[in-house]
Amino acid sequence: MLEMLDISVFKKFALREHVNFEIRGEFFNVMNTPNFGGPGTSLGSATFGVVTLTQANDPRIGQLTARINF
């Protein structure tokens, strides 16, 4: 089974002697792998052993950040 895959990339640029510019991209659940909840465990229940198809984790998310350090 494929697990969740997170990726982060960044690049730092020197603008002046003590000033840097950094750009960063972070991506979570890159493969968009669903993580479903567990099956029903109540004996005698109509939902015993039934796995609901509700995704328990977040879908693919990405964010981009720019930062100036001085």
Side-chain angles (χ1 to χ4, degrees):
M1 182 176 166
L2 207 69
E3 296 293 323
M4 285 184 33
L5 178 65
D6 299 337
I7 294 177
S8 176
V9 292
F10 70 94
K11 176 70 178 167
K12 187 182 283 190
F13 302 95
L15 299 178
R16 301 261 189 239
E17 186 174 345
H18 295 288
V19 180
N20 295 321
F21 175 73
E22 182 178 299
I23 188 162
R24 175 185 306 258
E26 296 175 325
F27 307 95
F28 306 101
N29 196 8
V30 174
M31 302 302 284
N32 205 21
T33 306
N35 185 9
F36 298 117
T41 57
S42 300
L43 285 173
S45 173
T47 60
F48 179 73
V50 175
V51 177
T52 58
L53 296 180
T54 304
Q55 190 169 344
N57 61 337
D58 290 329
R60 184 182 304 132
I61 296 174
Q63 62 185 24
L64 187 63
T65 306
R67 184 167 98 173
I68 297 177
N69 300 320
F70 55 92

